[in-house]
Amino acid sequence: MLSSSRTTHPGTAGSAERIPVAVHAPDPILREGVLSQLRRYPEIELREESGPGTVALLVDDVLDEAALTRLRRLVRSEGARAVLVVRALREAELLDVIECGVGAIVWRHEATATRLVQAVLAAARGDGDLPADLLGRLITQVGTLHRGAAGRPGAPASGLTSREVDVLRLVAEGFDTGEIASKLSYSERTVKNVMHGLTTRLHLRNRAHAVAHALREGYI
């Protein structure tokens, strides 16, 4: 699911499997503050280091080049799923963050314990979780990029099937797997298989990246 943030109650879900989370922050006081919020949730297993299957929670004021480099290393080299908690994000940085593999973003001023855990759970599932204003900016920005590229000879084709486009359009509108299955009269397994197939085939990192790709290519 790529959606704007919704009200959920992560602490009430009885999950048998704990989610490993590593917190990365520019100073120890900020890192300890985030850790203290997450320790209350039994579904979270705090780790010192990121790695495959781990959710890396990166907290910073702004996304400078050093922070973007850390994100790329965490996702591409270490195989972690990433959540970015940041005070502000410039337009030019937004697509870089999504294409880097970040599927969940939380504004610093909204980073309550519940909101952080919600983003961690979404990232662990491979879903997207963006603030509502950021989702709108992403759609606008990618649409602008696509219009600028329209008509250029040699433009690459993404090769999306009509079924994949139908699923991605609903993902972009914020529907979860069950809702998509109901609207398209598919099973949930079919929806998951469609998403897995296209992300694997096109080397996309998560649902947010898949939606950004489809928007860039003009499919949705």
Side-chain angles (χ1 to χ4, degrees):
M1 171 179 65
L2 174 64
S3 66
S4 60
S5 57
R6 299 178 177 180
T7 300
T8 60
H9 302 282
T12 61
S15 175
E17 186 175 348
R18 301 178 72 198
I19 299 171
V21 178
V23 176
H24 302 265
D27 63 76
I29 294 177
L30 178 56
R31 181 173 182 272
E32 183 55 39
V34 175
L35 290 172
S36 67
Q37 292 196 72
L38 297 180
R39 286 192 185 104
R40 292 182 271 159
Y41 292 85
E43 60 266 54
I44 302 297
E45 178 185 344
L46 294 172
R47 298 274 185 89
E48 288 296 322
E49 300 292 336
S50 299
T54 302
V55 175
L57 185 63
L58 181 65
V59 186
D60 216 327
D61 278 332
V62 295
L63 189 78
D64 56 17
E65 190 57 39
L68 189 59
T69 298
R70 284 198 299 275
L71 278 174
R72 291 194 180 104
R73 174 177 54 79
L74 290 168
V75 175
R76 298 179 183 178
S77 300
E78 300 183 15
R81 297 183 183 272
V83 175
L84 176 64
V85 182
V86 68
R87 193 178 304 279
L89 201 60
R90 294 191 297 267
E91 296 291 339
E93 299 163 341
L94 179 54
L95 209 56
D96 283 339
V97 169
I98 297 299
E99 294 185 338
C100 179
V102 177
I105 301 173
V106 179
W107 295 130
R108 283 278 297 271
H109 68 274
E110 296 177 348
T112 62
T114 299
R115 184 70 188 88
L116 289 176
V117 176
Q118 177 184 321
V120 166
L121 293 175
R125 293 190 303 265
D127 290 347
D129 186 355
L130 305 182
D133 60 323
L134 203 55
L135 180 58
R137 284 164 56 189
L138 174 63
I139 292 173
T140 299
Q141 184 180 359
V142 178
T144 300
L145 289 173
H146 172 71
R147 286 191 296 274
R152 287 210 307 253
S158 64
L160 294 179
T161 67
S162 58
R163 173 182 284 191
E164 290 169 342
V165 172
D166 289 342
V167 170
L168 281 176
R169 185 175 291 113
L170 293 174
V171 170
E173 292 176 6
F175 295 106
D176 62 24
T177 299
E179 292 168 332
I180 293 171
S182 176
K183 285 181 175 293
L184 298 179
S185 298
Y186 295 159
S187 68
E188 290 192 24
R189 180 178 294 276
T190 295
V191 174
K192 292 177 182 177
N193 287 342
V194 169
M195 288 303 306
H196 176 74
L198 76 90
T199 53
T200 300
R201 187 178 76 253
L202 299 176
H203 307 290
L204 304 169
R205 296 176 191 87
N206 50 41
R207 292 187 179 196
H209 193 190
V211 169
H213 177 84
L215 285 164
R216 183 192 291 277
E217 296 298 325
Y219 278 85
I220 59 177

